[in-house]
Structures are given as C-alpha cells and as structure tokens.
Amino acid sequence: MKPVVSERGRRMPSSPIRKLMPLAEAARRRGVRVYPLNIGQPDLETPPAMRRHLAEAPAVFAYSPSAGTPECLATLQEYYRRIGIALSTDDIIATTGGSEAVLFAMMAGAGEGDDVLLVEPFYTNYQAFATMAGLRLVALPTRAEDGFHLPPREAWERALTSRTRMVLLCNPNNPTGTVYTAEELQVAADFCRDRGLFLVADEVYRELVFDGRKHVSALSLAGFEENVVVVDSLSKRYSACGIRLGCLVTRNRDLYGACFRMAQGRLSPPGLAQLVALGASELGPDYVLGLVAEYQARRDILYEALRDIPGVLMRKPEGAFYFVARLPIEDAEDFAAWMLSDFSLDGATVLVSPAPGFYATPGLGRNEVRIAYVLRKEHLETAVRVLARGLAAYREARGMGPVATATATTSGL
Amino acid sequence: MKPVVSERGRRMPSSPIRKLMPLAEAARRRGVRVYPLNIGQPDLETPPAMRRHLAEAPAVFAYSPSAGTPECLATLQEYYRRIGIALSTDDIIATTGGSEAVLFAMMAGAGEGDDVLLVEPFYTNYQAFATMAGLRLVALPTRAEDGFHLPPREAWERALTSRTRMVLLCNPNNPTGTVYTAEELQVAADFCRDRGLFLVADEVYRELVFDGRKHVSALSLAGFEENVVVVDSLSKRYSACGIRLGCLVTRNRDLYGACFRMAQGRLSPPGLAQLVALGASELGPDYVLGLVAEYQARRDILYEALRDIPGVLMRKPEGAFYFVARLPIEDAEDFAAWMLSDFSLDGATVLVSPAPGFYATPGLGRNEVRIAYVLRKEHLETAVRVLARGLAAYREARGMGPVATATATTSGL
C-alpha cells in the first residue's frame, strides 16, 4: 500500500514564479539575456566588515545557544538601540532567516484552524507558513489607487471572526512598497489590543524608506508590549539573504517562551551566519544612508520610465525594493510567460512576477505584476525599455491594439 | 485584552536538560569543573578540508536554490554513492540541519491529529517537532535488557491506529546507541509497506557503528522506495553541528514535492554551510575510520569503567555516541541535580541527562540517564571516576546504603 502525503503537504503552495523558471532557462539557452525583476535578491555586496568575521570561525563548528550566541544577541540589541528601541536580549530570538521567525510567530500565536488577518497583496510565502501551521489567511483588499495603504478600523472589524488570533503586517510592504504611517499603524494596533490579537509586524525592509519618510516600528508603539511581535532579518539590510539569519522580537513573555521552546527543538540558528552578523555593529550611519540612496535612485529610474508607458498604473513606491504595477493587459501570467518565450529586444528580455500569487482572493491581481529593483541602474534602464516595448508588442500580438487615451491618463496616479 | 498563546505553543516541551543548566552554571561559579556528558556536541575539529571552503565565499551572500546549490546536492549525491546508495539529486533536499528534515517529513507525511509510531526512549526533540506538526507520538517501549532493540511485528501491529501515518526510527539510535540489524529493520519496513505508512529513518549517526558492525540504511532496502524517507545531517559525521546543514532523502515523488514546496517557502538552506559541505568529498576513507576508532575507544573506556560500578545496568553500546544506563537510584532528575549542587571530587563533577525526557510514557526512565561520550579520553576517565564516587555518595546522602549484590550482578548485562 502506497503511503499518502498529508492534506497540508498536498496543499503546500508552489512558488508562483516557479513555472516561469523553465521558460527563463530556455530563453537563456537561446542566448537571450533575461533581466530578473522578479526576486528580492539584492546585487549589492554583503559589507566586507561582516564577511571578514568568517575568518574568526573556530576549529569546531559547534551548536550555539538556541536563541543565538550572547555576542549575536548583543549585536542585535545594539542595532535596535541605535534605531531608538530599547530591548533586553531576552526579548530577542535569533532565527534561521525571517522565514523561521514568521513560522514561530504563527505557530505560537495561533492554533490549527485559526485565522490570520492581513492585507492583500501580501508576501506570497506567508501562505506557505500558514499552510504548515494550519492557519487560514483572511485577506483584506488594498488598492493600487490608494497606494495599497491600510484599510480603516471598520474593515478590520468586519473581517474579525471567532477564530481570528493575529494581524500580520509587512512594513515597508513586500510586494507593494507601501510604508505605513504612524496613524494607520496605530489603528491596526488599537484593533489588536481591543480584540486580544497578536500584531505580527514583518519589518525586514525597515531601513528602505524613501523621500525622507521615517519608518515606525511596531516595537516603538507604547502600550502594545503584549501584542507586538516583530519579524526581522539581516537579508535585505545587509545584502546577506543566503546566510539565513533573522530574529523574532517580542516583549510578550508567554509568546517568547513558546517560540524559545521551538527554537530549542531545532537546537540553534546557523552559527556561521551569527559570526557574520557581528560585523553589523561596525557599520557606521553612512552605510544605511548609502543603501537608501542607492535603492531610491533605482526606484526613481523605474518609476519615471514606467509612468511614461501608456496604460501602466502605479503610485510612486514609498519603500522596500518592490512595487506592484497594473499593466494594460488582461493576464499577467500569460504576459510574463510571453515575454520569456516570444519576445526580446536587442537580445534581452525581462522576468517579472505575475501578481495573482500575492493575492488570496481568486481573480485579484490578474493584470498586475510585482517588480523588484535589485539591479544596477544601467541594467534597470535597459530592463524597463525592454518591458515597455514588450508591452506594446504583446498587446499587438494579442490583438489588443494601442492603449486608449482614457486608460493612459491614469498612468502615474 | 491580552492575546493568548496557542495551545500548541503552550504544549511545546522545554528541553529536559534546561533546568539543570543554572545548577551547572552555579557549580562553575563555585570553581567546580563540570564535565558535560549530557549533549551531543562533539569536541572533534570540523575537518580543515571543509572549513577551508569558507574562503570561497562570494562577495554577495545570495539565496541558494531552495533544495540546495547544484554543487552541494552533487556532494551529497557523491557521499551516498560512496556508501553504495544510488540517488538522483532530485531525491535530495538540503535542509537546515537534520531538524528541518524531521519537521518537513512529519508535516508532509502526516496531518494534524495523526499518529507517529516510534520506540522509546527516543530523541527528545522529536516531541517538539511533533507538537509543531500537531502529531501524537505513540511510543512502543524497548528495554535495556534487550539492548533497546526493535519490538517484533506483533507489537507494531498492536500499536497501529486508524490515524497512524508513519514509523520514525533513529538508527544508530539516539539515545540508546543501538544499531538495528537488517532483520529487525526489514520487519519495520514490511509493516510500513503492508500498512501504507512512511518509514522515516533518522540516520545522522550512520558512520558511528562499532565492533565491525555494518549500518543498514533504509535507503538500501529494495522495494520500499515509496515508503522510505531518510533524515540526515552533517552535524555528527563532520563535527559540524553549528552550521545547520542536513538533508531529506526520498524517492517518493509526492513526498519530495510537498517537502520541496516547504523548502521553497523558507527560500533556501544556509549558504555558508553549503560551502563547507563541499569539502566532504575531499575526505578519504581514513576520515571515517579515524572517527569510528576514536568514538569506539571512548565507548570502551566508559563501558569498562561503568560496568565496574555496582548496580549500573547497561548493554555495550553498538553505535552513535550515546547510551542509556540504569543507575542504582530512584530519581535520575534528583541525582543529576544533586551531582551539580552537592557533589564534587577533586574539584570536578559531571552533568548527565536524566532519561525521563526521552520517554513519552510517564514514569519510564526514572532511574536512567543518557550519557554522551564527546570528550577526550582522559576527560572521560576522570568523568566516570567522578560519576562512580558521586553515585556512592548520593546513595549514602539519600539513606539508600550500599548496592545489594543481587543488583550488582546485573551490571554489564
């Protein structure tokens, strides 16, 4: 008798961009250069001050304490102190990337069959962790026209069920690039406190806020100590995605205890990554300023170029290094595949993420794509030129004709 | 309203040795040397051939593919080829330690409320992963008198319920050091095939078999390709516990697919660890021979010394680097704590793991301890001398008197 995979195993979602990978590979084999605008893998160097610490690796690569080495926890504590957040090292658990922190928070904050409230579009892998934890994601829509900002209190209340246990926010937001204001964050936090919910804030893009904006961490809200759980990662901040180091931060002792016991179960977070982390304290304030300037310049290039394309609808992204744009097409999945298999300009094409994978509600995001700007400026300029010409050619190939002026005027909203 | 931690969060087990750590710290502060016989952290060096690969780390510490880099997968495939197991790289998922492989196997192989059959005593962290996955561990007892070998087919059948989805074996066994014979493994595998169960074999101690024994991997059983899932780790084999790299191996495509999608959710296994792994192919056959000789010599020292202690019951351990011994005491938790707080010999004491944490059945293992031999021989000799004197002193302190001869004769069974 053949054993059968569990229901949750069968329901585990595939990565929404995975089906495009064979097409991208085929394009590369044909000699086409594929500019990846699909993933959040920065091209910037991991800071040498951090890489240098690998030379201190001891002769025995031993387990570290389950919550992280004292040195690693002190480095994280110092990082938060510098951004104005006072923490005890007992509020922090070093995790295997932000991913593990999300899984721990979901597992400890909600039980099988419970609901997690979040806004859509959302980071697609939340669905994977929710499936593992047996949770239902209940998504409140946000709209491109509103810059994907948070809904008012009434919308949160309407979505509340007897099984709601937490609100999950990503701020700055992946995939939309939206940075939540202090006011809208307060609305969500008040809702959580009044309703006895955890507020899980994924702040892995915390530094990446543009045009002089200031990021408001959920940890800085006074009076929400029992509600707030922050998910963090060194991946984006330090261009160190591959080391798999993040952390979970909470002042709620019960939640900390449950997550700590899960951390004990898996013994320790990656040790070499914890060595690399020590270098973060050696980076001066210039490091973050440079990082923000670089990504803001890239955003500007993309935004300026994209809003010139007839029929493209997007607000100026406020942070992170992604945004969601509405394209003058009907089916982003078909368009993304077509760009790889049927189009090239001067030997180049682009790979974009169709947005439906970032929505829980079927049908939403069909004419939207997520674009990541993790390429050097000159490559971005080429990539957006390719995208613009591709859009026009695709509409022609699909018999859609040129974009009507009425649609075009909404561009750059 | 204060948010409440989930039922599974509350039920997450604490590490059973954790409560002893403050006592060990206090002993150290009093100037007492504490020999750790409690954890599986080898003192041997991570092979220089592996550490050396860290120098190849690129300037951008980027995500790797979710199942591991092609180079890392090829290294794992080559490792298995050398031990006589032919695999495709598509049968292997590199994981964050063996821990993640256990969690993936449980999540994909069974659903909330399902049962996992295993023998007790068992590796205590299985309970943590089962709690996260919402599974019930159904434990079949094994006995010190039988060397903790597997029960007959009838015992497996009796334990079967309508919710049984998998059998979980650890071979060589942590904590007992038992190495299963081809025959007893076949019994368990037949049972799994007949009943449509997954056979999850944790083989992280595969090399560590003594006295000329040959380890039989579940992957080498013919006709069980759909049932077998192997959990593996580089931690013990290469003294590299802290890098957190292991793998899950299965030829069952459905199970592979479900685990691969979980791997996609968490993006990638640790990248620096995957670099270190590449060095494994450069180790000649002498490496494993040396490893086995070292641990076998340590086992011999401990075994010879322990069987001379009146009232200690143990069989000669067959593999891994642990064993469970029955002591002439009533409460191993009390004894372990007393050794730290009330006893020292020439300024030294020992830290042992009370065995109850390795049993699911309440009351079992009360007079047993798990001992790990991950210290240099001269330290082991001192440690066992301290343990022997401590046992006698403890019995006196608790009014138990000397061990009766009748008990003493079972020593070294």
Side-chain angles (χ1 to χ4, degrees):
Chain A
M1 218 160 58
K2 190 177 159 178
V4 177
V5 163
S6 66
E7 165 80 16
R8 70 178 151 211
R10 292 193 295 273
R11 286 212 331 264
M12 277 303 298
S14 264
S15 164
I17 59 150
R18 197 179 162 223
K19 61 185 108 172
L20 294 174
M21 297 313 288
L23 297 179
E25 279 312 309
R28 288 189 185 106
R29 278 197 301 274
R30 293 196 310 273
V32 174
R33 173 160 191 167
V34 179
Y35 288 104
L37 297 176
N38 61 315
I39 52 160
Q41 169 56 60
D43 61 329
L44 305 178
E45 277 196 6
T46 313
M50 298 179 73
R51 282 143 55 199
R52 196 179 299 140
H53 281 267
L54 282 181
E56 297 157 16
V60 184
F61 290 172
Y63 290 123
S64 75
S66 297
T69 63
E71 297 77 15
C72 178
L73 290 173
T75 300
L76 291 167
Q77 181 187 38
E78 169 66 11
Y79 161 81
Y80 283 104
R81 192 192 64 74
R82 288 187 194 176
I83 62 167
I85 296 168
L87 294 173
S88 152
T89 50
D90 283 344
D91 300 327
I92 310 171
I93 297 172
T95 54
T96 308
S99 299
E100 189 181 55
V102 174
L103 183 66
F104 283 178
M106 284 187 173
M107 286 261 175
E112 171 89 10
D114 283 340
D115 289 349
V116 176
L117 286 183
L118 79 179
V119 294
E120 60 183 349
F122 55 78
Y123 173 50
T124 181
N125 284 325
Y126 292 155
Q127 186 61 68
F129 304 126
T131 303
M132 289 178 78
L135 307 181
R136 186 172 71 124
L137 295 183
V138 177
L140 282 68
T142 58
R143 296 167 0 120
E145 290 81 349
D146 304 328
F148 299 105
H149 275 274
L150 293 180
R153 171 78 180 241
E154 307 82 75
W156 293 110
E157 293 287 352
R158 271 197 307 275
L160 190 74
T161 72
S162 63
R163 302 301 300 263
T164 307
R165 295 290 174 265
M166 64 174 61
V167 166
L168 172 57
L169 295 180
C170 181
N171 178 31
N173 190 272
N174 171 7
T176 64
T178 306
V179 179
Y180 302 136
T181 64
E183 292 69 30
E184 63 192 315
L185 203 59
Q186 186 75 36
V187 168
D190 285 339
F191 169 69
C192 287
R193 190 171 54 185
D194 294 348
R195 300 304 185 178
L197 310 178
F198 289 107
L199 176 62
V200 179
D202 176 347
E203 301 183 353
V204 308
Y205 300 97
R206 185 182 292 124
E207 279 74 16
L208 300 178
V209 296
F210 308 136
D211 310 315
R213 281 185 179 77
K214 200 176 147 24
H215 178 261
V216 182
S217 171
L219 289 168
S220 68
L221 301 175
F224 297 90
E225 290 74 9
E226 296 289 350
N227 302 86
V228 168
V229 185
V230 159
V231 166
D232 210 342
S233 169
L234 279 66
S235 294
K236 313 298 178 174
R237 189 175 301 145
Y238 305 120
S239 260
C241 302
I243 64 172
R244 312 310 298 131
L245 198 72
C247 63
L248 179 144
V249 183
T250 185
R251 299 177 177 109
N252 180 310
R253 298 320 300 164
D254 293 344
L255 192 93
Y256 176 92
C259 293
F260 179 73
R261 294 192 296 276
M262 291 183 208
Q264 284 190 315
R266 58 69 164 136
L267 303 167
S268 61
L272 296 168
Q274 292 183 75
L275 275 181
V276 170
L278 302 185
S281 296
E282 297 158 31
L283 302 172
D286 282 359
Y287 172 76
V288 166
L289 293 176
L291 191 75
V292 172
E294 174 66 25
Y295 283 115
Q296 182 166 323
R298 293 174 178 194
R299 178 211 55 178
D300 290 344
I301 289 170
L302 267 181
Y303 177 68
E304 298 300 328
L306 280 168
R307 70 170 186 178
D308 287 344
I309 304 176
V312 172
L313 173 76
M314 59 178 292
R315 288 274 293 262
K316 195 171 194 176
E318 302 166 341
F321 45 55
Y322 311 96
F323 56 90
V324 169
R326 193 174 297 166
L327 302 183
I329 56 172
E330 282 169 11
D331 183 343
E333 291 179 2
D334 182 61
F335 170 68
W338 183 89
M339 286 294 287
L340 295 169
S341 53
D342 292 73
F343 182 79
S344 68
L345 178 70
D346 303 332
T349 191
V350 299
L351 175 52
V352 294
S353 291
F358 299 89
Y359 287 88
T361 308
L364 288 188
R366 277 200 69 206
N367 58 352
E368 295 172 5
V369 294
R370 186 190 75 168
I371 290 179
Y373 37 104
V374 290
L375 301 178
R376 274 184 287 157
K377 290 165 205 152
E378 58 273 28
H379 293 327
L380 280 181
E381 279 162 359
T382 308
V384 77
R385 200 164 58 238
V386 171
L387 182 65
R389 289 284 289 276
L391 265 174
Y394 175 81
R395 286 184 56 93
E396 203 173 306
R398 291 288 183 263
M400 300 171 79
V403 176
T405 316
T407 315
T409 55
T410 60
S411 160
L413 180 88
Chain B
M1 216 159 60
K2 190 176 159 176
V4 177
V5 164
S6 66
E7 165 79 16
R8 70 178 150 210
R10 291 192 296 274
R11 286 213 331 264
M12 278 301 299
S14 264
S15 164
I17 60 150
R18 197 177 162 224
K19 61 184 109 172
L20 294 175
M21 295 315 287
L23 298 179
E25 279 311 309
R28 287 189 185 106
R29 278 197 301 274
R30 292 196 312 272
V32 174
R33 172 159 191 167
V34 179
Y35 288 102
L37 297 176
N38 60 315
I39 53 161
Q41 168 57 60
D43 60 330
L44 304 179
E45 277 197 7
T46 312
M50 300 181 72
R51 282 144 55 201
R52 198 179 298 140
H53 280 267
L54 281 181
E56 297 157 18
V60 184
F61 291 171
Y63 290 122
S64 76
S66 297
T69 62
E71 297 77 16
C72 178
L73 290 174
T75 300
L76 292 167
Q77 182 187 36
E78 169 66 11
Y79 161 79
Y80 283 103
R81 193 193 62 75
R82 289 188 193 176
I83 62 167
I85 296 168
L87 294 172
S88 152
T89 50
D90 283 344
D91 299 327
I92 310 172
I93 297 173
T95 55
T96 308
S99 299
E100 190 181 54
V102 174
L103 184 66
F104 284 178
M106 284 187 172
M107 285 261 174
E112 171 89 11
D114 283 341
D115 289 349
V116 175
L117 286 184
L118 78 179
V119 295
E120 60 184 349
F122 55 79
Y123 173 50
T124 180
N125 284 326
Y126 291 155
Q127 185 62 67
F129 304 126
T131 303
M132 289 178 79
L135 307 181
R136 187 171 70 124
L137 296 183
V138 177
L140 282 68
T142 58
R143 296 167 1 119
E145 289 80 352
D146 303 328
F148 300 105
H149 275 273
L150 292 181
R153 172 78 179 240
E154 307 80 76
W156 294 110
E157 294 287 350
R158 271 198 306 273
L160 189 75
T161 71
S162 63
R163 301 302 300 263
T164 308
R165 295 288 173 267
M166 63 175 62
V167 166
L168 173 56
L169 294 181
C170 182
N171 178 30
N173 190 273
N174 171 7
T176 63
T178 306
V179 179
Y180 302 136
T181 64
E183 292 69 30
E184 64 191 315
L185 203 59
Q186 187 74 37
V187 168
D190 284 339
F191 168 69
C192 287
R193 190 171 54 185
D194 294 348
R195 300 304 186 178
L197 310 177
F198 289 106
L199 175 62
V200 179
D202 176 347
E203 302 183 353
V204 307
Y205 300 97
R206 185 183 291 125
E207 279 72 15
L208 300 178
V209 295
F210 307 137
D211 311 315
R213 281 185 180 77
K214 200 175 144 28
H215 177 262
V216 182
S217 171
L219 289 168
S220 67
L221 301 176
F224 297 91
E225 289 75 10
E226 296 289 351
N227 301 86
V228 168
V229 185
V230 158
V231 166
D232 209 343
S233 170
L234 278 68
S235 294
K236 313 298 178 173
R237 189 175 300 145
Y238 305 120
S239 260
C241 302
I243 64 173
R244 311 310 297 130
L245 198 72
C247 63
L248 178 143
V249 182
T250 185
R251 298 178 178 108
N252 181 309
R253 299 320 300 164
D254 293 343
L255 192 93
Y256 176 93
C259 293
F260 179 72
R261 295 193 296 277
M262 291 182 208
Q264 284 190 315
R266 58 69 164 137
L267 303 168
S268 60
L272 297 168
Q274 292 183 75
L275 275 181
V276 170
L278 302 185
S281 296
E282 297 158 32
L283 302 172
D286 283 358
Y287 172 76
V288 165
L289 293 175
L291 191 74
V292 172
E294 174 66 25
Y295 282 114
Q296 182 167 324
R298 292 175 178 193
R299 179 213 51 180
D300 289 344
I301 288 170
L302 267 181
Y303 177 67
E304 298 299 326
L306 281 169
R307 69 170 185 178
D308 287 344
I309 303 176
V312 171
L313 173 75
M314 60 180 290
R315 288 274 293 260
K316 197 171 192 176
E318 302 166 341
F321 45 55
Y322 310 96
F323 58 90
V324 168
R326 192 175 297 166
L327 303 184
I329 56 172
E330 282 170 10
D331 183 343
E333 292 180 0
D334 182 61
F335 170 68
W338 183 89
M339 285 294 286
L340 294 169
S341 53
D342 292 74
F343 182 79
S344 69
L345 178 70
D346 302 331
T349 191
V350 298
L351 176 52
V352 293
S353 291
F358 299 88
Y359 286 87
T361 307
L364 288 189
R366 276 199 71 205
N367 58 352
E368 295 172 6
V369 293
R370 185 190 75 169
I371 290 179
Y373 37 105
V374 290
L375 301 178
R376 274 184 287 157
K377 290 164 206 156
E378 58 272 29
H379 292 327
L380 280 181
E381 279 161 0
T382 308
V384 77
R385 201 164 57 238
V386 171
L387 182 66
R389 290 282 289 275
L391 267 174
Y394 175 81
R395 286 184 57 92
E396 202 173 308
R398 291 288 183 264
M400 300 170 79
V403 176
T405 315
T407 314
T409 54
T410 61
S411 161
L413 181 87

